[in-house]
């Protein structure tokens, strides 16, 4: 009995770029944005292998992203939803989570800034104190020299 086995075509990033008429870097950028929302494409032997369905997805992304008011992030989310690649709310797009993660960093930055300011003021006080001490020592040396000059002139007479 003869069986026909059909294997779905697997395109490399370079072949997909040729099919779509886009630079390879653009395909990689699109893939990066898909990965940000949790969409992963299959890999074979450590390299990305795009199927015919993936080619359709990238064609649709190219078409949607061509609209002037469309950003790449919005286009990727739209295509991912259209092809049921992600749920309605992608996990990495939450603005609320981003805001929450920034708050501890902002607090750390404020603490670091206040520490730096305190150390700077302390250093400035030390420098001013040292400058005053140096000035006082120079003045004392000057007075000592003037006393010896006076004594020398007094003894010459």
């Amino acid at each position: 009995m003869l069986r026909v086995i059909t294997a779905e075509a697997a395109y490399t990033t370079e072949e997909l770029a040729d099919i779509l008429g886009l630079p390879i870097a653009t395909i990689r950028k699109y893939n990066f944005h898909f990965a940000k929302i949790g969409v992963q494409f299959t890999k074979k032997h450590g390299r990305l292998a795009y199927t015919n369905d993936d080619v359709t997805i990238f064609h649709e992304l190219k078409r949607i992203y061509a609209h002037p008011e469309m950003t790449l992030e919005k286009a990727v989310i739209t295509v991912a939803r259209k092809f049921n690649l992600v749920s309605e709310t992608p996990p990495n797009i939450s603005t609320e989570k981003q805001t929450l993660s920034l708050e501890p960093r902002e607090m750390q930055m404020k603490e670091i800034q206040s520490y730096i300011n305190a150390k700077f003021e302390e250093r400035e006080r030390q420098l001013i104190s040292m400058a005053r001490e140096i000035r006082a020592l120079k003045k004392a040396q000057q007075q000592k020299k003037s006393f010896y000059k006076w004594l020398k002139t007094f003894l010459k007479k």
Side-chain angles (χ1 to χ4, degrees), residues 4-81:
V4 177
I5 301 174
T6 57
E8 190 166 358
Y11 302 103
T12 64
T13 304
E14 293 80 15
E15 291 170 335
L16 181 62
D18 288 339
I19 292 169
L20 295 173
L22 295 171
I24 296 169
T26 303
I27 300 299
R28 289 188 178 127
K29 180 169 65 170
Y30 290 175
N31 193 8
F32 171 76
H33 284 283
F34 274 116
K36 274 176 46 176
I37 62 168
V39 177
Q40 297 293 322
F41 296 100
T42 58
K43 285 189 175 189
K44 287 186 181 175
H45 308 291
R47 297 188 65 174
L48 287 168
Y50 299 98
T51 63
N52 288 328
D53 291 338
D54 297 337
V55 174
T56 306
I57 290 169
F58 278 91
H59 268 296
E60 185 66 15
L61 176 63
K62 181 181 173 185
R63 186 186 68 74
I64 290 175
Y65 186 48
H67 294 292
E69 71 279 349
M70 185 62 73
T71 65
L72 182 56
E73 290 82 10
K74 288 180 184 177
V76 167
I77 292 170
T78 304
V79 169
R81 287 181 183 160

Side-chain angles (χ1 to χ4, degrees), residues 6 8 10-11 26 47 50 63 66 69 74 83 87-88 96 100 102 104 106 111 121 126 137 147-148:
T6 57
E8 190 166 358
Y11 302 103
T26 303
R47 297 188 65 174
Y50 299 98
R63 186 186 68 74
E69 71 279 349
K74 288 180 184 177
F83 288 94
S87 64
E88 287 299 310
E96 188 175 311
L100 291 176
L102 288 178
E106 288 176 356
E111 289 174 7
E121 288 174 7
Q126 288 174 345
L137 287 172
F147 174 74
Y148 285 123

